[in-house]
Amino acid sequence: MVEKNLAPAAADAAPEITLERVNVAPAQTWNRLRTNDITLTVPARGRAGDVYFSLPRLFEGVECGMGPAVTDWVESQAKDARYVEVPRGTRREEPIVVALGADEVAGTGVLVREGAEVTIVVAAGGEKDGEAGTSASLLRVIAEAGARVHLYEYVGADAGQQHLESVGITCGRDARVDVHQYLLGGGTVALGLACDLAGDRSRVDLGCRYHAGGTEVLDINEVVRQRGRSTRSELAYNGVLEDAAKKSLRTTIDLVHGAKGAQGNEAETVLVLGDDVVNKTLPTILCDEDDVAGNHGATIGSVSPEQLAFLASRGLSRADAEALFARAVYEDALMHAPCDEARATVQRGQALLHGASTLEDLAW
């Protein structure tokens, strides 16, 4: 739902609208804990006179993780839509890169033809000197039979920035998608992914690593609908929360009627390093088929006394020991960065994490 701005904007600022019920989980539970969705305030810049290139209509049927309100808003704000088609049976060596600076909005559609292979990178982390701003990416991917898609998402905005990232993926027969998410900070980071395993034996493997500190807000909603026979989904999350950070994670595996032989697993490990951290984890498995298997679980805790004692014997204070866990998230992100834009996002996140004014000031 999109509502009109409730108050007039400043003369030098764009008017704002409120996006309600964003990142909605398919199954509504825990209403009292306000876990089911998030409300976001975003700019609404006029585009009078612009000529907008829209994606082919087949992308209209792709479900996106953050919901239709965000899809409509991005389409109204993006200067243009980018369409890329990977020809049948080919392997594209150069990654498709969606690089976003502060306040930039991008809409992208990728059609991966039968038997083709491609790497897609979304890198969001533009600098705006601590000012408030909103960036957003809407990515829709159609993977035909036997296609291979490698998706990397890197988000590393500063404490005054807000980033929205909505992804929709449809998989044909024997298609495989692996998703690597690194969420490395931002005042508010809202990410949603929906993957439709429509074809038999299609598969998605998703790994998400995140870090949030200060008063940052991280909101994640990810849905895998397993419609084809013998489909497979593996969802793994690993994160560190510090200070007074707030995080909500909704993961849903939907084993649809007819998806015989389907298997789905989801698991999360959360390390809590602050007394004021708010962590909400809502793993859900929906099932309308007998011959399927689904598992979910979450582990939430802090650094154990035994680990702290071991590290103290090596000369590390408690603060130094806890910092190692956050550092590991960034090092893993940097190690797997597939392009310069992704590496720059991680390095900027490292600098912000340690309060360095420039990357040259950062000594690890």
Side-chain angles (χ1 to χ4, degrees):
M1 177 180 178
V2 182
E3 292 187 351
K4 298 288 186 179
N5 182 27
L6 300 179
D12 59 346
E16 294 180 337
I17 60 173
T18 300
L19 305 179
E20 293 188 335
R21 292 187 58 77
V22 170
N23 266 356
V24 180
Q28 298 294 282
T29 58
W30 299 102
N31 288 301
R32 186 176 63 84
L33 296 180
R34 299 180 181 178
T35 308
N36 290 319
D37 54 56
I38 188 173
T39 297
L40 300 170
T41 300
V42 295
R45 302 174 185 87
R47 296 183 57 246
D50 289 350
V51 178
Y52 179 77
F53 172 74
S54 60
L55 296 175
R57 296 198 63 179
L58 75 164
F59 287 98
E60 294 178 1
V62 178
E63 178 187 7
C64 295
M66 291 195 72
V70 171
T71 298
D72 292 343
W73 174 75
V74 170
E75 290 180 340
S76 74
Q77 298 300 297
K79 293 181 180 179
D80 219 338
R82 180 185 179 192
Y83 170 65
V84 181
E85 181 174 331
V86 184
R88 177 177 179 177
T90 64
R91 178 180 179 182
R92 179 177 171 131
E93 297 295 338
E94 180 183 0
I96 299 169
V97 180
V98 181
L100 297 164
D103 293 338
E104 293 185 340
V105 180
T108 309
V110 180
L111 176 58
V112 188
R113 291 295 189 181
E114 183 175 350
E117 184 172 358
V118 67
T119 296
I120 305 170
V121 182
V122 180
E127 185 174 359
K128 204 184 176 187
D129 297 327
E131 296 180 18
T134 298
S135 59
S137 170
L138 172 64
L139 173 66
R140 285 170 280 192
V141 180
I142 298 176
E144 293 186 345
R148 299 291 183 269
V149 177
H150 314 288
L151 173 59
Y152 293 81
E153 298 175 86
Y154 282 76
V155 179
D158 65 26
Q161 297 290 304
Q162 177 176 250
H163 178 71
L164 283 63
E165 183 145 342
S166 189
V167 178
I169 304 172
T170 298
C171 294
R173 173 178 45 84
D174 293 314
R176 294 195 62 170
V177 175
D178 53 84
V179 182
H180 313 267
Q181 297 172 335
Y182 293 97
L183 310 179
L184 307 176
T188 298
V189 174
L191 180 147
L193 181 145
C195 184
D196 184 4
L197 299 180
D200 294 349
R201 300 177 300 280
S202 55
R203 174 169 179 152
V204 61
D205 292 271
L206 185 150
C208 176
R209 299 203 68 178
Y210 60 83
H211 171 260
T215 58
E216 294 176 337
V217 175
L218 177 60
D219 193 273
I220 307 171
N221 178 61
E222 301 191 310
V223 182
V224 178
R225 302 193 189 276
Q226 299 187 223
R227 305 182 192 275
R229 290 171 174 259
S230 301
T231 54
R232 184 73 177 263
S233 64
E234 296 288 340
L235 313 180
Y237 303 84
N238 191 304
V240 179
L241 301 176
E242 299 187 85
D243 308 318
K246 296 184 171 92
K247 186 227 77 183
S248 295
L249 171 66
R250 308 170 203 89
T251 57
T252 303
I253 294 176
D254 187 3
L255 301 166
V256 181
H257 184 74
K260 291 187 177 296
Q263 297 182 51
N265 298 292
E266 53 188 16
E268 183 188 24
T269 300
V270 187
L271 182 62
V272 176
L273 301 179
D275 293 336
D276 297 319
V277 163
V278 176
N279 178 71
K280 299 177 182 179
T281 299
L282 182 64
T284 306
I285 292 180
L286 307 177
C287 185
D288 191 29
E289 182 56 66
D290 292 333
D291 183 19
V292 293
N295 301 283
H296 65 72
T299 302
I300 303 169
S302 56
V303 184
S304 70
E306 293 78 12
Q307 289 174 309
L308 290 174
F310 174 82
L311 293 172
S313 69
R314 267 62 179 174
L316 294 178
S317 67
R318 181 187 183 96
D320 291 337
E322 291 179 344
L324 286 176
F325 293 93
R327 174 177 171 176
V329 176
Y330 290 82
E331 290 187 340
D332 182 65
L334 194 60
M335 185 185 308
H336 293 94
C339 64
D340 291 340
E341 291 84 353
R343 281 187 286 273
T345 299
V346 179
Q347 289 167 345
R348 172 165 165 71
Q350 290 174 332
L352 292 170
L353 177 67
H354 290 267
S357 59
T358 65
L359 293 179
E360 287 73 18
D361 295 336
L362 182 65
W364 271 15

